[in-house]
Amino acid sequence: MINSRLAVAIHILTLIASRKDQVEMTSEFIAGSVNTNPVVIRRIIGMLRKADILKTQAGVAGAVLARNPDQITLLDVYRAVEPRDELFSIHEDPNPNCPVGKRIQGSLDHIFHHAQSMMESELSKKTIKDILTSMFA
Amino acid sequence: MINSRLAVAIHILTLIASRKDQVEMTSEFIAGSVNTNPVVIRRIIGMLRKADILKTQAGVAGAVLARNPDQITLLDVYRAVEPRDELFSIHEDPNPNCPVGKRIQGSLDHIFHHAQSMMESELSKKTIKDILTSMFA
DNA sequence: CAACATGTAACTGAAATGGTTACATCTATT
DNA sequence: AATAGATGTAACCATTTCAGTTACATGTTG
C-alpha cells in the first residue's frame, strides 16, 4: 500500500488554498487539522517546496502556494512526495538459463509501466482547485 | 512501492502455462527460475490456490492452472496476492472541527478509488496468455 | 517403508513509515 | 540587540511489511 504522504500533502495544499487572510498557515496550525506532529508536516512541506509547489521562508510563519491551485495537479503532488519512480516491484535476477526467466522482466516492465501510467494519468486530471471546489460546492 | 509478489506470481503462472509435458512444476523448479527460495514460491502458490487460479495437491509434485491462461487476468493475480483493498493510504482522524479536515477524507477516498480503478482496469486487460505470447512471439 | 513434495509456522534482517525530541537558524518585533 | 516564535533537519524509536530461511508435519507414490 502506498504511504499516506500523498493524502497528507493534498490536505496541506487544500488547507493553504482555502486560507482566509487572517490565518497564517504554520506547521503547527496545519498539524492541528491533519492531526499529527508539526515535524511530519514540515517534512512533507519540505518535499513540496523542493518540487516548487509551495514556498516557505525560514523563520517566517506560513506557507503559500507557488502557483494557482488549478495549476497544481495531484500527479505533481504524487511525484513530489513519492521518491520511487516505479509503482510495482520486479524480482531481481531471474534465471537467464530459463526461457521464461530470461524474458519475464521485459514483459513485466512493459505491463507495469502501462498500468502505472493509467493511474498517473487519472491523478493528472485533478487539481487542488478541483478538490477545493468539490469540497465546498 | 508495491511488493514483488505480483511479479513473482505472474512469473509462476507463466512458467506453468509454458510447461512442456516432461517437466513437473515443483516449487523447487520454479524457485530455480525465479531465483529465490522454494518456500517463497509455495507461499505465493498458496495465495493463488485460495483464489482458485491454480491447483496443487499436498504430497504430489507439480502445480497446474485451474483454468486456461486466457481466462486468468493480471487483475485476478493482483487481487490474489495483494491482501489490501486500497492502493493509497489516507491519514486517520483529521480534525472534524476544521472545514477541510472534516471533508478531506471523502474527497480523497473518491479520487484515490478512481485512480486505482484505472490501474486495475489496465491489469484486467492482460492475461497470462498475453504474457506468454508476447514473450515467445 | 522410503523418498520426495507440499503446507505452514516461526524466526530473521532489512527497509519504510510515522511520530517524537532536540536543536540550529532565521525573522520580526520590541 | 535581545527575545519570541517559526522553520529546517538530524536523530532516534516503535511498528509494520517483506523476502529469505529453517524446521517440521502431512500427504503421495513407488
Side-chain angles (χ1 to χ4, degrees):
Chain A
M1 188 149 73
I2 291 176
N3 59 56
S4 68
R5 283 197 301 266
L6 176 58
V8 173
I10 294 173
H11 188 147
I12 292 171
L13 294 168
T14 305
L15 251 188
I16 298 176
S18 77
R19 168 175 179 270
K20 304 284 185 294
D21 286 337
Q22 304 88 327
V23 212
E24 289 302 338
M25 285 297 158
T26 66
S27 61
E28 179 107 14
F29 178 88
I30 298 173
S33 174
V34 173
N35 190 23
T36 183
N37 191 291
V39 176
V40 172
I41 300 298
R42 292 205 286 271
R43 213 140 52 186
I44 294 177
I45 281 183
M47 301 185 201
L48 296 171
R49 183 181 53 247
K50 276 172 194 142
D52 289 316
I53 292 175
L54 54 69
K55 287 179 193 168
T56 59
Q57 206 177 338
V60 44
V64 295
L65 299 186
R67 47 184 194 268
N68 287 337
D70 62 349
Q71 295 301 309
I72 302 174
T73 73
L74 300 194
L75 180 58
D76 295 333
V77 184
Y78 175 70
R79 294 246 167 89
V81 299
E82 201 50 59
R84 303 245 146 259
D85 276 357
E86 308 299 332
L87 178 60
F88 298 92
S89 305
I90 298 182
H91 56 294
E92 307 186 326
D93 304 321
N95 190 339
N97 299 321
C98 168
V100 172
K102 181 166 44 182
R103 297 171 174 85
I104 192 74
Q105 285 183 318
S107 296
L108 292 175
D109 198 66
H110 183 258
I111 288 164
F112 288 169
H113 188 269
H114 219 263
Q116 180 175 350
S117 290
M118 291 299 102
M119 183 273 281
E120 293 186 351
S121 157
E122 196 59 30
L123 290 183
S124 73
K125 289 174 188 162
K126 291 279 180 185
T127 68
I128 295 297
K129 184 182 181 189
D130 293 330
I131 303 263
L132 204 56
T133 59
S134 83
M135 200 172 270
F136 299 112
Chain B
M1 190 149 73
I2 292 176
N3 59 57
S4 68
R5 284 197 301 265
L6 176 57
V8 173
I10 293 172
H11 188 147
I12 292 170
L13 293 168
T14 306
L15 207 49
I16 297 176
S18 76
R19 169 175 179 269
K20 305 284 185 294
D21 287 338
Q22 304 87 328
V23 212
E24 288 302 338
M25 286 297 159
T26 65
S27 61
E28 180 107 14
F29 178 88
I30 298 173
S33 175
V34 173
N35 189 24
T36 184
N37 191 291
V39 176
V40 172
I41 301 298
R42 291 205 286 271
R43 211 140 56 187
I44 294 177
I45 281 184
M47 302 185 200
L48 296 171
R49 183 180 53 247
K50 276 171 193 142
D52 290 315
I53 292 174
L54 54 69
K55 287 179 193 167
T56 59
Q57 205 177 339
V60 45
V64 295
L65 300 184
R67 48 185 193 266
N68 287 337
D70 63 348
Q71 295 301 309
I72 302 174
T73 73
L74 301 194
L75 180 57
D76 295 333
V77 183
Y78 176 70
R79 294 245 168 90
V81 299
E82 202 49 59
R84 303 243 145 261
D85 276 358
E86 308 299 331
L87 178 60
F88 298 92
S89 304
I90 298 182
H91 55 294
E92 307 187 327
D93 304 321
N95 189 339
N97 299 321
C98 168
V100 171
K102 181 165 45 182
R103 296 171 174 85
I104 192 73
Q105 285 183 318
S107 296
L108 292 175
D109 198 67
H110 182 257
I111 287 164
F112 287 168
H113 189 269
H114 219 263
Q116 180 175 351
S117 290
M118 291 299 100
M119 184 274 281
E120 293 186 351
S121 156
E122 197 59 30
L123 290 184
S124 73
K125 289 174 188 162
K126 292 278 181 186
T127 68
I128 295 298
K129 184 181 180 189
D130 294 329
I131 304 263
L132 204 56
T133 59
S134 83
M135 201 172 270
F136 299 111

